[in-house]
Amino acid sequence: MSCISKKQQHLYNTIIILIVAFLSTQSCSHSQQTTAKTDRKSSVEQPSVLTNINSFKKSDTTEIPSRNILSANNIKVDSLLQTLSLEEKIGQLFFVRAYGYFKNDDDASYKRLIRQIRDHHIGGVIFFNGDIYGQTILTNKLQRRSKIPLWITQDMEYGAAMRVDGATRFPPAMAVAATQNTDYAYWMGKVTAQEAKALGVNQIFAPVLDVNNNPNNPVINVRSFSGDPDTVAKYGDRFVQGVQSEGIVSTAKHFPGHGDTDTDSHLSLPVITSDFARLDSVELLPFRSAVGEGINSIMSAHISFPNVSTQKNLPATMDSTVLNQILIDSLRFRGMVVTDGLEMKGIASHFSPGEAVIKALNAGVDMMLLSPDELTAINEVKTAVHKGKLQESRIDRSVRKLLRWKKKHGLFEKRQIDINSLSSKISNRDHELIAEEISRKSLTLLKNKNDILPLRAAKYPKVTVVSVADDESGSAGDGLVSQIKDYHPDVSSHVLDKRTSEAEMSEMLQDAKEADLLIIGSFIYVRSAEKVQLSKEHLTFLKKLYKDTPSVLVAFGNPYIVQDLPETDAQLMAWSANRGQVKSAVPALFGGSEINGRLPIKIPGMYEINHGLTLPQTTLRADAPEVVELSRDSLQQLETIMNEAIFDSTFPGGVITVVKNGVIAYQEGFGYQTYKKLTPVKEDAIYDLASLTKVTATTPAIMKLVEEGIISIDDKVGNYIPEFTKGQKKNITIRNLLLHNSGLPAFRVYIDSLKSESRIIEAVKNEPLVYNTGTKYEYSDLGFILLGEIVEEVTGMPLNKYVQKKLYYPLGMNSTFFNPKRYNHWVNKRIPPTEIDTTYRMKTMKGEVHDERAYYLEGVAGHAGLFSTASDLAIYCQMLLNGGSYAGKEYLKSETINTYTSRQSSHLNRGYGFDRKSNGFSTAGSLTSDKTFGHTGFTGTSYWIDPERNLAIIILTNRTYPHRSFGKNISEIRARVADAVVSSIIE
């Protein structure tokens, strides 16, 4: 048998590689096989059967080789390595930049990637920005064109969303440490890895294990967990455990530590003059811990350590003292060493592309990221091998590691991504909930002078928001302002950035002077190659701005900004400008969530590590049902119930709001304002509350006056109304009116002959009793009309003005009022009509009270007349659930609420004013607790409050439209809604 030449052998080897590549293009419908375990010492490989080689292209002229070496089920890495040419092995070391957006086949950047794969034999890519489908489709296309499967890498320090639009975004590392819960780091890592795996990413460049102990660090900042090495180690280890639990490679960076620099290595070469003792006790501690816990990969830093290394002026990436001696020999790291970007000026300004790679290899690096010129680098490395300046065995060592990884992660068996699985695996509800919880828990309050927080509109009626940015987009703070407007009725806003003119600054100063409170949103954060401090001009201006106005600083980025603005009265760390952080921060400013974070860094001259103030949650916020253990799927029953009622003409539309544990967990508008179906009902619809007026206006007014000692519940009504000073009426008390056992009839028409306020009130006062006081229960509108008159008598102001002053305005119930028709057109558009009155008023009742007696009492009465939204009623219900407090202010005493909502009548299970869940059928449903209290309104409104479950269920409809004979099923609907809500509670 004749011998095969080296050239023939090389061709044969090339053929082997090609067939493996094409065999691996099997159907995307199979799930990816991932076998890595958290324990670096063991792994289990899962076999796979290849069934599809249809992607073999005729343009490839290689012959089909034997599979004895490169069987997809039994890849032999050492044998494969021997088949590769020197140039192919060098190419495997390089990882090139790619953007994960759609690219057609003629796209120049796509063609360049194909050339890099085909001609330079690159080992993989590092994806930068992109979107979910763009990146996965491009990955599949590139994998099909590569002989050896590509190793896919990506920066994911704060989740896949760091690079991929639409993925789950977490707050930065420092925010995670502020939660004081290392489990959050684990779940952040795990979720990030799950989404990376779905995207076809094999290795993520995270976590950052740098100790951020230099406030002037221009590149690390909030990317670090902390300024304390032990804290960095703890959170870093948990993040790595989360990542590696999903079989994804985690990369700790930037070894041996990038935290104590004031120079950005993207721009030049930083130099750290610390000696080894300092490095060993601070910077190396998190890396040593990560190595001990089984970290797979470590990224080197482009930083020089002249007092540690024997090789002066070399960045750690090229320094064998740092990598070979410290990392590999001393720390006993056996994983993959990765460079930071070789295009960064700390490297590229001092070394040619090939020289950088040669020095990095000799220092102990395995993977070369982002060479500024990989073609030149490959040629220079090849030349170095031929000249004996670099051993081919050194290249083999790194390539062997990479090929083993590719085998271990199943890339020779299946390298294609299942596109159809993405929608269930990325940014799903569970992932979003975890990210949102971490965001809330990360908020850190450093200062709260004069108890500015929680903010209340009653204390600060006019607010000015100034968003400070270090870019020129003009969009900084858009989300901040819009959300603040959801909580406050009077907000003006400005942006201070590089484009701001003198005239605009003058306008800001004027607004700040007129405002009761100034909120400064700082959107200055870390960007590569840019400063993270305020400009001197802006700093001087901001100090003028808050000089004479109470101020709140919210840092959505660089936390050290408080050093520039130390005189601000309240200082809240929100850590990042992403949508989730803004969504968490704004409710917290108004008391919508607890603030309990602690500072993971030291802010020199101001705050030590672990500093932080605690504020409890005192107000409502809107959030997902799952946050308060309600099943989202189960709550969908409410939609069915409401739509069935609408189709059955129980009412034309309505709103349901569910409040649990201080969260508006469900709020939906259904149907239309009328059966013409022209104006949909939205969540902010304003409804005529009818008899809810009794317990939302009149009863709390009486409660307040009793607490203040102005009246007593046992006062004789005759003390305030002379007509009740004689006869049977002289013994009637306020208590009797509240209990509906005064002897007064349920109602009288009156308006068939009496159409003035004074004559109707006179008639009510002179109405004869129909039974002996206290002997039975007779629900009476007349008694509550008299209670309204008593409030006016003792306060000197009408009922509407009293409750507006004492309750609605300070509570922030800005859409709760009597006589809404007197307000602007925008308010009236939100009000559904309640009835077409063909008996007394001969018109459609819209924005005017439905109840005839209240209508002729100028729209203000103790029994009816109040209009409100479900959101406002949610505030009121939460105040009652809170024991009378809201946003840090007490409106009623808890004992007062307990008394008025407890059973007080021997004739019926009622409280004072408040109704309670009755025995047998109840509109509060069958599943609410026996302590449930609330009320219903004739127009189709109700709310029921279950204090045992910290739950409120609010229903607003206009079931009396077009005529009050409609909507007879409203009681059944109320009960079904209540039971559906309680059934949705996850035990």
Side-chain angles (χ1 to χ4, degrees):
M1 183 180 291
S2 61
C3 294
I4 299 175
S5 68
K6 290 185 177 180
K7 183 174 182 181
Q8 289 173 319
Q9 180 66 51
H10 178 65
L11 177 60
Y12 184 78
N13 294 339
T14 303
I15 292 171
I16 292 172
I17 297 167
L18 282 170
I19 189 59
V20 172
F22 293 119
L23 284 172
S24 64
T25 56
Q26 57 187 334
S27 171
C28 294
S29 62
H30 298 292
S31 61
Q32 184 175 355
Q33 300 294 320
T34 303
T35 60
K37 301 292 185 180
T38 303
D39 186 349
R40 68 192 187 280
K41 296 181 180 178
S42 64
S43 65
V44 179
E45 295 189 0
Q46 302 293 330
S48 174
V49 178
L50 294 176
T51 59
N52 187 353
I53 57 172
N54 293 329
S55 59
F56 192 98
K57 297 184 181 295
K58 293 181 180 180
S59 57
D60 293 306
T61 59
T62 53
E63 298 177 4
I64 300 176
S66 167
R67 296 179 60 192
N68 64 333
I69 296 177
L70 292 175
S71 167
N73 292 329
N74 189 27
I75 297 296
K76 297 178 180 178
V77 169
D78 289 335
S79 298
L80 173 58
L81 184 63
Q82 292 175 14
T83 69
L84 300 181
S85 68
L86 175 60
E87 187 170 341
E88 287 172 326
K89 289 190 287 189
I90 295 171
Q92 284 293 300
L93 302 173
F94 288 82
F95 288 74
V96 301
R97 182 191 309 267
Y99 289 91
Y101 296 110
F102 170 78
K103 293 176 175 60
N104 62 51
D105 291 343
D106 290 327
D107 183 90
S109 63
Y110 174 71
K111 287 186 173 182
R112 185 173 189 273
L113 285 169
I114 297 303
R115 288 195 301 271
Q116 290 168 322
I117 292 170
R118 182 190 63 212
D119 301 338
H120 304 158
H121 318 290
I122 60 169
V125 300
I126 172 170
F127 271 107
F128 279 70
N129 300 66
D131 58 59
I132 293 169
Y133 287 103
Q135 178 167 317
T136 51
I137 290 171
L138 180 58
T139 298
N140 281 348
K141 291 177 70 175
L142 296 180
Q143 289 283 27
R144 284 195 292 268
R145 301 299 296 270
S146 181
K147 297 176 182 179
I148 294 178
L150 297 169
W151 184 254
I152 308 299
T153 68
Q154 197 157 29
D155 264 327
M156 291 188 178
E157 292 174 18
Y158 46 81
M162 179 176 180
R163 297 299 189 197
V164 184
D165 295 341
T168 303
R169 179 168 181 143
F170 289 91
M174 196 171 288
V176 179
T179 68
Q180 301 178 286
N181 187 342
T182 58
D183 286 345
Y184 286 138
Y186 174 86
W187 283 105
M188 178 182 175
K190 190 175 186 68
V191 169
T192 299
Q194 288 174 350
E195 298 194 353
K197 186 190 300 183
L199 289 162
V201 175
N202 311 115
Q203 177 179 7
I204 68 169
F205 299 132
V208 172
L209 293 189
D210 303 312
V211 180
N212 198 77
N213 44 21
N214 188 333
N216 297 319
N217 193 314
V219 68
I220 301 302
N221 203 272
V222 296
R223 297 167 64 195
S224 165
F225 285 109
S226 175
D228 171 61
D230 289 317
T231 300
V232 174
K234 286 192 299 182
Y235 283 85
D237 287 348
R238 289 294 278 154
F239 181 91
V240 171
Q241 290 164 11
V243 172
Q244 296 186 173
S245 72
E246 293 294 324
I248 298 298
V249 173
S250 181
T251 304
K253 57 188 185 183
H254 307 81
F255 188 84
H258 207 315
D260 194 13
T261 66
D262 55 11
T263 303
D264 188 348
S265 54
H266 292 85
L267 303 178
S268 60
L269 180 64
V271 176
I272 294 181
T273 58
S274 303
D275 59 17
F276 180 76
R278 153 60 195 267
L279 190 72
D280 187 49
S281 63
V282 178
E283 278 77 13
L284 291 185
L285 194 153
F287 290 100
R288 182 181 294 108
S289 180
V291 171
E293 291 295 325
I295 185 75
N296 299 136
S297 176
I298 289 178
M299 179 182 287
S300 62
H302 300 333
I303 301 175
S304 174
F305 294 84
N307 292 330
V308 172
S309 175
T310 58
Q311 304 176 65
K312 306 297 182 184
N313 302 321
L314 275 183
T317 299
M318 302 175 177
D319 193 332
S320 61
T321 302
V322 173
L323 297 184
N324 276 322
Q325 294 182 28
I326 298 177
L327 177 60
I328 296 172
D329 294 342
S330 179
L331 270 59
R332 298 183 180 180
F333 177 64
R334 297 296 179 263
M336 191 81 79
V337 181
V338 184
T339 71
D340 206 341
L342 293 174
E343 64 188 6
M344 294 162 60
K345 298 300 182 183
I347 296 286
S349 293
H350 304 279
F351 306 93
S352 72
E355 185 183 12
V357 172
I358 294 165
K359 288 184 177 294
L361 281 167
N362 284 326
V365 175
D366 300 298
M367 293 170 57
M368 310 296 163
L369 305 187
L370 305 176
S371 171
D373 182 355
E374 70 275 355
L375 176 58
T376 297
I378 289 170
N379 286 329
E380 288 186 326
V381 172
K382 186 164 58 174
T383 300
V385 172
H386 292 324
K387 291 183 176 182
K389 295 181 179 179
L390 178 67
Q391 296 298 312
E392 186 171 356
S393 60
R394 173 64 193 89
I395 296 171
D396 289 349
R397 191 171 75 210
S398 293
V399 175
R400 185 179 291 108
K401 285 184 182 180
L402 182 60
L403 292 177
R404 285 175 176 169
W405 268 5
K406 291 180 178 182
K407 175 185 176 180
K408 181 179 179 181
H409 288 260
L411 291 177
F412 287 98
E413 301 167 11
K414 180 190 177 297
R415 63 178 88 173
Q416 295 287 287
I417 303 163
D418 180 4
I419 303 294
N420 295 324
S421 71
L422 295 174
S423 60
S424 64
K425 294 181 177 179
I426 297 179
S427 201
N428 60 45
R429 194 61 201 144
D430 288 341
H431 292 181
E432 292 295 326
L433 286 170
I434 292 170
E436 289 167 8
E437 182 172 338
I438 296 173
S439 291
R440 280 197 311 276
K441 299 293 186 179
S442 73
L443 297 173
T444 306
L445 183 63
L446 303 183
K447 185 179 181 182
N448 192 24
K449 184 179 178 181
N450 297 326
D451 294 328
I452 285 181
L453 301 183
L455 300 178
R456 299 197 309 272
K459 186 175 180 180
Y460 302 105
K462 183 176 177 58
V463 170
T464 292
V465 180
V466 174
S467 300
V468 186
D470 53 1
D471 60 17
E472 300 181 16
S473 67
S475 61
D478 286 352
L480 173 66
V481 173
S482 65
Q483 290 200 45
I484 288 176
K485 287 181 177 179
D486 289 340
Y487 287 84
H488 198 287
D490 191 351
V491 179
S492 61
S493 62
H494 303 273
V495 174
L496 179 65
D497 60 20
K498 296 176 182 178
R499 306 179 311 162
T500 306
S501 66
E502 292 289 339
E504 289 171 320
M505 288 185 179
S506 296
E507 184 180 352
M508 284 185 223
L509 284 170
Q510 185 60 37
D511 269 5
K513 287 179 181 178
E514 296 174 359
D516 301 294
L517 179 72
L518 175 68
I519 298 177
I520 301 171
S522 171
F523 293 87
I524 295 175
Y525 43 90
V526 174
R527 293 189 185 92
S528 293
E530 294 187 23
K531 291 183 177 181
V532 290
Q533 286 85 28
L534 284 167
S535 69
K536 290 183 179 180
E537 179 187 13
H538 285 171
L539 180 57
T540 301
F541 172 74
L542 285 170
K543 290 187 175 182
K544 289 181 182 178
L545 203 63
Y546 66 73
K547 181 180 179 182
D548 299 313
T549 305
S551 56
V552 177
L553 171 64
V554 188
F556 293 101
N558 178 23
Y560 298 102
I561 195 75
V562 296
Q563 290 180 303
D564 291 335
L565 304 170
E567 299 90 359
T568 45
D569 298 306
Q571 297 164 352
L572 180 69
M573 298 290 101
W575 307 110
S576 171
N578 74 64
R579 177 181 57 83
Q581 288 298 107
V582 175
K583 180 183 175 183
S584 297
V586 172
L589 289 172
F590 291 86
S593 59
E594 180 187 41
I595 302 176
N596 197 34
R598 293 296 180 264
L599 198 62
I601 53 173
K602 177 180 180 179
I603 299 181
M606 296 186 70
Y607 306 111
E608 296 295 321
I609 288 179
N610 293 325
H611 173 76
L613 307 177
T614 296
L615 278 185
Q617 179 183 353
T618 56
T619 65
L620 285 170
R621 73 172 188 276
D623 216 324
E626 296 88 346
V627 171
V628 289
E629 299 180 334
L630 288 173
S631 166
R632 180 186 299 268
D633 293 338
S634 182
L635 285 173
Q636 294 306 310
Q637 298 177 69
L638 300 179
E639 183 176 348
T640 301
I641 294 169
M642 291 295 282
N643 285 332
E644 286 178 354
I646 291 167
F647 297 152
D648 290 342
S649 298
T650 303
F651 41 73
V655 178
I656 291 180
T657 293
V658 177
V659 175
K660 191 172 191 310
N661 298 347
V663 167
I664 296 179
Y666 183 93
Q667 186 168 59
E668 294 288 342
F670 301 91
Y672 296 83
Q673 289 191 4
T674 72
Y675 290 108
K676 291 182 178 180
K677 301 177 182 178
L678 300 177
T679 306
V681 170
K682 298 182 179 179
E683 296 172 2
D684 65 349
I686 301 171
Y687 279 88
D688 182 337
L689 300 185
S691 284
L692 290 189
T693 304
K694 293 181 175 72
V695 291
T696 314
T698 311
T699 300
I702 294 295
M703 295 163 77
K704 189 73 174 171
L705 293 170
V706 170
E707 284 186 355
E708 292 174 349
I710 297 173
I711 63 173
S712 167
I713 195 171
D714 291 315
D715 282 351
K716 300 293 179 62
V717 174
N719 293 352
Y720 311 102
I721 298 175
E723 289 83 352
F724 280 67
T725 57
K726 52 188 176 181
Q728 288 183 312
K729 291 184 178 181
K730 68 180 180 180
N731 293 321
I732 297 176
T733 64
I734 291 175
R735 186 192 302 269
N736 295 131
L737 298 183
L738 290 167
L739 288 174
H740 298 279
N741 66 0
S742 65
L744 288 169
F747 77 99
R748 290 286 185 260
V749 176
Y750 296 135
I751 64 163
D752 53 355
S753 59
L754 306 175
K755 291 185 172 60
S756 72
E757 179 182 12
S758 59
R759 294 185 67 190
I760 293 173
I761 291 297
E762 181 183 1
V764 174
K765 290 177 178 178
N766 288 287
E767 185 65 46
L769 303 184
V770 295
Y771 61 90
N772 292 329
T773 300
T775 60
K776 73 171 189 174
Y777 164 82
E778 181 78 34
Y779 181 83
S780 175
D781 283 350
L782 307 188
F784 267 79
I785 292 174
L786 294 175
L787 286 171
E789 291 299 302
I790 291 173
V791 172
E792 181 171 351
E793 174 70 22
V794 300
T795 63
M797 64 179 74
L799 173 65
N800 61 321
K801 291 187 177 180
Y802 179 75
V803 291
Q804 185 71 34
K805 177 181 179 181
K806 293 291 186 176
L807 282 176
Y808 307 148
Y809 180 71
L811 277 169
M813 297 171 64
N814 300 314
S815 295
T816 302
F817 27 53
F818 291 82
N819 290 314
K821 193 171 184 178
R822 300 175 184 176
Y823 290 79
N824 59 44
H825 176 67
W826 179 76
V827 166
N828 277 281
K829 286 178 66 176
R830 295 161 54 196
I831 304 174
T834 49
E835 187 176 18
I836 302 173
D837 187 353
T838 58
T839 304
Y840 299 110
R841 291 158 290 190
M842 304 303 176
K843 63 179 180 180
T844 297
M845 303 307 299
K846 177 180 170 67
E848 297 175 284
V849 60
H850 172 265
D851 182 270
E852 297 92 344
R853 285 152 297 280
Y855 177 84
Y856 287 105
L857 291 173
E858 302 298 325
V860 180
H863 72 298
L866 191 64
F867 287 69
S868 188
T869 64
S871 294
D872 276 12
L873 291 178
I875 293 173
Y876 180 69
C877 291
Q878 187 62 49
M879 181 271 291
L880 296 175
L881 283 168
N882 288 349
S885 296
Y886 195 82
K889 179 180 178 181
E890 185 181 75
Y891 294 88
L892 295 167
K893 297 182 184 302
S894 60
E895 53 266 32
T896 301
I897 293 172
N898 289 336
T899 298
Y900 278 67
T901 59
S902 298
R903 180 170 183 165
Q904 298 294 339
S905 170
S906 60
H907 302 294
L908 198 69
N909 184 22
R910 292 187 69 97
Y912 292 135
F914 289 96
D915 196 1
R916 288 170 49 83
K917 179 184 177 181
S918 57
N919 298 324
F921 175 81
S922 171
T923 60
S926 62
L927 302 178
T928 51
S929 75
D930 292 338
K931 293 183 179 180
T932 299
F933 64 90
H935 215 282
T936 61
F938 183 72
T939 53
T941 60
S942 64
Y943 57 72
W944 288 106
I945 300 171
D946 185 344
E948 284 194 355
R949 292 186 171 88
N950 201 9
L951 175 71
I953 305 166
I954 301 161
I955 306 174
L956 300 182
T957 75
N958 54 337
R959 71 98 193 164
T960 50
Y961 186 87
H963 303 293
R964 63 189 66 190
S965 58
F966 277 61
K968 292 183 178 179
N969 295 330
I970 188 65
S971 295
E972 178 189 347
I973 299 303
R974 288 166 173 154
R976 288 179 64 195
V977 167
D979 283 345
V981 171
V982 177
S983 297
S984 299
I985 297 174
I986 302 169
E987 297 295 342

